[in-house]
Amino acid sequence: MKIAILGYGVVGSGAYEILKNYGYDVKWVLDIRPHEELGSVLTSNYDDILNDKEVTVVAEAIGGLEPAHTIVVKALKAGKHVVSSNKHLICQYYEELHNLATENGVTIRFTSAVGGGIPWLYNLRRSVRCDEISKVMGIMNGTTNFILDAMISDSRDFDEVLKEAQALGYAEANPSADIDGLDVARKTAISASVAFNTIIKEENVDVFSMRYIQKCDIDYICKRLGTIRYMGFGIKDKDSVSVFVEPTILPLGAPESTVCKNFNMITLFGKSVGRLSFFGQGAGKYPTGNALAQDIIDVMSNCSYIQPLQTSLNVDNDKQLRAYYIRTTSVLDVPYTTYEVIDGYNYYITSKLSVSKAHALAKQIQEKDPAMFVAGIEE
Amino acid sequence: MKIAILGYGVVGSGAYEILKNYGYDVKWVLDIRPHEELGSVLTSNYDDILNDKEVTVVAEAIGGLEPAHTIVVKALKAGKHVVSSNKHLICQYYEELHNLATENGVTIRFTSAVGGGIPWLYNLRRSVRCDEISKVMGIMNGTTNFILDAMISDSRDFDEVLKEAQALGYAEANPSADIDGLDVARKTAISASVAFNTIIKEENVDVFSMRYIQKCDIDYICKRLGTIRYMGFGIKDKDSVSVFVEPTILPLGAPESTVCKNFNMITLFGKSVGRLSFFGQGAGKYPTGNALAQDIIDVMSNCSYIQPLQTSLNVDNDKQLRAYYIRTTSVLDVPYTTYEVIDGYNYYITSKLSVSKAHALAKQIQEKDPAMFVAGIEE
């Protein structure tokens, strides 16, 4: 049983070093760039790997949709187990890849695609074997958590902290995928798909960006309501699932309130196990490389649980009701429990609204007041 | 592949219900008490199980050393996998049972022995496969956490909260095993044994009780230092391991500071994965039953990693240095960074002492001042 790693970037090279240190046989690394240190292990020709009968596990750490998708499909059809750290690929093609794996009697694993070094998806899948998951939620993005944590701890403003995060390499030059929620939406869709054994696409997820938060929001929330994090949620309700991403206000005692810097915390609620939370490094060469390596070792030791997908669940964000915090210059016609005017801003705590209504309302308010901010309130 | 559950108490019956609900074949339940609902599944004769070739996994939920030990040894010798929730048994006989399992080509698993529903030991063992663990620590006892949380939240005194915990069934009539640290010492010894792949006995663990804490300690600690929990630690230092249990002062932002009521949080520090914490229900019929059931399912799906034990590590609590909080009526000859007298008590924050020195000192002080209290300070 030998291993091939596809892509020698941050995660691929991290997994390679870890597997080598522990005596696992990585026979090939696929990369188009030169890497002296890899010697004859390096190839730029995928056929070397596909045609190598000794290679039973292929670990994809290329990222993006193509060529990753074509490459992974070929591996599954060649009867090789696939492990991937590619959330974009899994979110887009989960059903196809799951079915291809089943047809070819192999496994596909992607723990490292969500939560970096945290064995979240692995444990979630393990829980599902003999428990009924009612809810998954979490802080799944280190960049946005770093920004919110810094804004709260040092009471600084968004733009300033974002610049620092970019300087420190925690945020991309174009931070949109992180701060506008696409990254969390994909991780939430994947988590909910595994938790509820169904298919949830990123376009099913209601998302509100966190980029509109200001110092005045932090001041109001921390003084009156608790604290705030950027979170994804998947909540089951009989035959439907609510899946959404939004800035989320939590009581100060909530475990999430201690998640600092770029750490992540992801939680499941099971009928028999109750609340189970996983806290750790949500990104990085060695943490995420470790998660990729662990999946590879699991596959090699036959720890695989393939479940038939049940696609009867559809996404319906009308089902979940929660109160929302809204800060805007507009005067709103919305049922509320608290209304205050401070320094020219209207602050509302709404009565309970459905997630879909709240997100639609937010977009509506934004047309008149682009700087408005909204956050869901988690009880 | 069929399952036998030994002991139909809280955990055994919880696991039984969960496994039945998910279609797993529990052929036998061993119990000397009558249980109408079990019908012909119930037996009081262990030979029915030992001699049953269909039974490949035996789950021990009897508790205590005997007859559990004799029964588990017989099962391993009969070539049956063993899953146990019995921390006393595992702590006492880990080496013997591990070796017996290896000799007979079967597995022994005991995730539910530490942390109730939290898949802590399972994930710790998984981490060890390709990471170097430097430290394990955690809140592993719900009773003591319930008491400390209530004392802090409602600023009440120890005796009063203990009585409430007993009334609620969170504490035993004789609470010593919980509040004097034996329960945590066993769980810490088992965790450190798995983390460092060695054998640590409960008698190797330096333990200080939490029963001497008073309202004035909570007031001092919460006002000046952060918060306090009752924790176990296993810390590696080259060729030795420090293993100890003590009341532990943590900064307010520490993840442990949000662990309320009878919840547990257990953490590993890995060279590549970094900090990884697991939070959940540390006890209870369904959470612990779930952990027992998950181990059974793992064994049935061949998810087992047997490692040869390396016993070269010895326990040496001189290696770990930390500052200590001491409250006593005595005047101490100890190096300190802070010394205050409040209401007739001397409050010391010591300079860094070795764990063994500090625990020896505490016992010494207690001879003159039985009501004194000491806590380690975790940075």
Side-chain angles (χ1 to χ4, degrees):
Chain A
M1 277 187 133
K2 296 188 177 181
I3 302 158
I5 295 176
L6 316 181
Y8 198 67
V10 173
V11 175
S13 60
Y16 177 81
E17 286 177 39
I18 291 166
L19 289 164
K20 292 286 287 184
N21 287 344
Y22 285 85
Y24 291 95
D25 192 342
V26 181
K27 186 171 180 184
W28 295 105
V29 169
L30 179 72
D31 204 286
I32 48 174
R33 299 160 294 190
H35 299 285
E36 289 292 319
E37 70 275 24
L38 291 176
S40 64
V41 168
L42 180 69
T43 177
S44 57
N45 177 6
Y46 186 45
D47 290 335
D48 291 342
I49 295 166
L50 266 187
N51 302 330
D52 188 334
K53 292 270 165 296
E54 287 189 326
V55 173
T56 51
V57 191
V58 164
E60 182 270 316
I62 300 168
L65 289 187
E66 286 302 342
H69 175 247
T70 310
I71 283 177
V72 163
V73 166
K74 280 184 182 170
L76 291 169
K77 286 183 171 165
K80 298 183 190 296
H81 301 293
V82 169
V83 169
S84 173
S85 60
N86 185 338
K87 60 184 171 293
H88 191 178
L89 174 77
I90 299 302
C91 196
Q92 189 80 13
Y93 295 110
Y94 182 51
E95 184 165 20
E96 178 199 14
L97 299 177
H98 181 286
N99 294 337
L100 264 178
T102 312
E103 285 160 32
N104 293 278
V106 291
T107 310
I108 177 156
R109 281 288 166 276
F110 40 85
T111 304
S112 52
V114 180
I118 302 170
W120 156 246
L121 288 178
Y122 181 82
N123 279 277
L124 178 60
R125 191 182 292 272
R126 188 170 179 263
S127 290
V128 166
R129 300 180 305 173
C130 69
D131 206 355
E132 191 184 321
I133 309 300
S134 59
K135 178 176 180 178
V136 291
M137 67 177 192
I139 299 166
M140 306 184 220
N141 179 276
T143 306
T144 50
N145 200 71
F146 177 90
I147 292 172
L148 290 173
D149 182 41
M151 288 180 75
I152 293 166
S153 311
D154 321 332
S155 88
R156 290 157 62 196
D157 221 329
F158 179 83
D159 301 337
E160 178 194 346
V161 176
L162 173 58
K163 279 194 191 68
E164 183 193 341
Q166 286 168 319
L168 289 168
Y170 288 148
E172 310 275 334
N174 173 358
S176 175
D178 291 320
I179 68 181
D180 293 325
L182 178 60
D183 177 80
V184 182
R186 284 172 178 161
K187 291 168 172 173
T188 305
I190 294 170
S191 299
S193 296
V194 172
F196 308 126
N197 194 27
T198 184
I199 304 292
I200 290 155
K201 300 279 200 180
E202 74 188 54
E203 53 268 30
N204 300 138
V205 185
D206 270 333
V207 177
F208 193 82
S209 171
M210 56 80 69
R211 75 158 72 215
Y212 308 105
I213 191 165
Q214 297 179 13
K215 206 167 161 310
C216 61
D217 298 305
I218 300 282
D219 295 342
Y220 188 99
I221 289 162
C222 293
K223 195 174 297 161
R224 293 173 174 74
L225 303 170
T227 188
I228 182 162
R229 293 292 186 268
Y230 197 46
M231 295 175 66
F233 294 84
I235 306 172
K236 188 153 181 243
D237 178 282
K238 293 194 201 62
D239 306 332
S240 73
V241 186
S242 298
V243 192
F244 54 98
V245 172
E246 58 191 25
T248 303
I249 294 166
L250 302 135
L252 256 189
E256 287 79 7
S257 66
T258 58
V259 178
C260 63
K261 300 211 171 60
N262 59 339
F263 276 92
N264 286 193
M265 177 183 278
I266 323 180
T267 298
L268 66 84
F269 294 84
K271 191 177 175 184
S272 66
V273 84
R275 174 177 177 145
L276 202 54
S277 297
F278 303 81
F279 171 91
Q281 287 288 348
K285 174 176 180 173
Y286 293 111
T288 310
N290 177 287
L292 189 69
Q294 292 284 12
D295 266 354
I296 291 168
I297 299 169
D298 284 331
V299 167
M300 292 169 75
S301 26
N302 303 312
C303 287
S304 59
Y305 329 110
I306 285 233
Q307 274 132 331
L309 288 169
Q310 124 208 16
T311 45
S312 63
L313 293 168
N314 56 333
V315 175
D316 179 357
N317 283 340
D318 288 332
K319 289 286 176 64
Q320 275 305 310
L321 302 179
R322 42 176 34 200
Y324 280 84
Y325 161 95
I326 305 175
R327 187 255 314 145
T328 175
T329 51
S330 304
V331 173
L332 306 180
D333 170 24
V334 59
Y336 60 79
T337 56
T338 307
Y339 170 58
E340 292 178 88
V341 182
I342 305 170
D343 302 335
Y345 281 121
N346 302 306
Y347 292 85
Y348 296 89
I349 308 296
T350 71
S351 311
K352 290 199 170 186
L353 307 172
S354 79
V355 169
S356 44
K357 263 201 196 61
H359 282 241
L361 175 68
K363 289 176 180 64
Q364 210 182 80
I365 301 168
Q366 243 182 350
E367 288 169 14
K368 279 212 193 77
D369 175 16
M372 65 83 73
F373 181 68
V374 62
I377 298 176
E378 175 73 3
E379 285 161 348
Chain B
M1 278 186 130
K2 294 187 179 182
I3 302 158
I5 295 176
L6 316 180
Y8 198 67
V10 173
V11 175
S13 61
Y16 177 80
E17 286 177 40
I18 291 165
L19 289 163
K20 293 286 287 184
N21 287 346
Y22 284 84
Y24 292 96
D25 192 342
V26 182
K27 188 172 179 184
W28 297 105
V29 170
L30 179 72
D31 204 284
I32 49 174
R33 299 161 294 190
H35 299 285
E36 288 293 317
E37 70 274 25
L38 291 176
S40 64
V41 168
L42 180 69
T43 179
S44 57
N45 176 8
Y46 186 43
D47 292 334
D48 291 342
I49 295 165
L50 267 187
N51 302 329
D52 189 332
K53 293 270 167 296
E54 285 189 328
V55 174
T56 52
V57 191
V58 164
E60 184 270 316
I62 299 167
L65 290 185
E66 285 302 342
H69 175 247
T70 310
I71 282 177
V72 163
V73 166
K74 281 186 183 169
L76 291 169
K77 287 182 171 166
K80 298 182 190 298
H81 300 294
V82 168
V83 169
S84 173
S85 61
N86 186 338
K87 58 184 169 294
H88 192 178
L89 174 78
I90 299 302
C91 197
Q92 190 80 11
Y93 296 110
Y94 182 50
E95 184 164 20
E96 179 199 13
L97 299 178
H98 182 284
N99 293 338
L100 265 178
T102 313
E103 285 160 34
N104 293 278
V106 291
T107 311
I108 179 156
R109 281 290 165 274
F110 40 86
T111 304
S112 52
V114 179
I118 303 170
W120 157 245
L121 288 179
Y122 180 82
N123 280 277
L124 178 60
R125 190 181 292 272
R126 187 172 179 262
S127 290
V128 167
R129 301 180 303 175
C130 70
D131 206 356
E132 191 183 320
I133 309 300
S134 59
K135 179 177 180 179
V136 291
M137 68 178 192
I139 298 166
M140 306 185 218
N141 179 275
T143 306
T144 48
N145 200 71
F146 178 90
I147 292 172
L148 290 174
D149 182 42
M151 287 180 77
I152 294 166
S153 311
D154 319 335
S155 90
R156 291 158 62 194
D157 223 328
F158 180 82
D159 300 338
E160 178 193 348
V161 176
L162 173 60
K163 281 195 191 64
E164 184 193 340
Q166 287 169 319
L168 289 167
Y170 288 148
E172 310 274 334
N174 173 358
S176 176
D178 291 321
I179 67 181
D180 294 325
L182 177 60
D183 177 80
V184 183
R186 286 173 179 161
K187 291 168 173 173
T188 306
I190 294 171
S191 299
S193 297
V194 172
F196 309 125
N197 195 26
T198 185
I199 303 293
I200 289 154
K201 299 279 200 182
E202 75 189 52
E203 53 269 29
N204 300 137
V205 185
D206 271 332
V207 177
F208 193 82
S209 171
M210 56 79 69
R211 74 158 74 215
Y212 307 104
I213 189 164
Q214 297 178 14
K215 205 168 162 313
C216 60
D217 299 304
I218 300 283
D219 294 343
Y220 188 99
I221 290 162
C222 292
K223 196 174 296 163
R224 293 173 174 76
L225 303 170
T227 189
I228 182 162
R229 293 290 187 267
Y230 197 47
M231 295 176 65
F233 294 84
I235 306 172
K236 188 148 181 249
D237 178 280
K238 292 193 201 62
D239 305 332
S240 72
V241 186
S242 298
V243 192
F244 55 97
V245 172
E246 58 190 26
T248 303
I249 293 166
L250 304 135
L252 255 190
E256 287 79 8
S257 66
T258 57
V259 178
C260 64
K261 302 215 171 55
N262 60 338
F263 276 92
N264 286 194
M265 176 183 278
I266 322 181
T267 297
L268 66 84
F269 294 84
K271 190 177 175 187
S272 65
V273 84
R275 176 180 177 144
L276 202 54
S277 298
F278 302 81
F279 170 91
Q281 287 289 346
K285 174 176 181 174
Y286 294 110
T288 311
N290 176 288
L292 189 68
Q294 293 282 14
D295 266 355
I296 293 169
I297 299 169
D298 284 330
V299 167
M300 292 169 75
S301 27
N302 302 314
C303 286
S304 58
Y305 330 111
I306 285 230
Q307 275 133 331
L309 288 169
Q310 127 207 16
T311 46
S312 62
L313 293 168
N314 57 334
V315 175
D316 179 357
N317 283 341
D318 288 332
K319 291 286 177 64
Q320 274 305 309
L321 302 178
R322 42 177 34 201
Y324 280 84
Y325 161 96
I326 304 175
R327 188 254 315 144
T328 175
T329 52
S330 306
V331 174
L332 307 180
D333 171 25
V334 59
Y336 60 78
T337 55
T338 308
Y339 169 60
E340 291 178 90
V341 182
I342 304 170
D343 302 337
Y345 281 122
N346 302 307
Y347 292 84
Y348 296 89
I349 308 295
T350 72
S351 311
K352 290 198 170 188
L353 308 171
S354 79
V355 168
S356 44
K357 264 202 194 61
H359 281 241
L361 175 68
K363 288 175 179 64
Q364 212 181 76
I365 301 167
Q366 243 182 350
E367 288 169 12
K368 282 214 189 77
D369 174 16
M372 65 83 72
F373 181 68
V374 62
I377 298 175
E378 174 75 3
E379 286 161 348

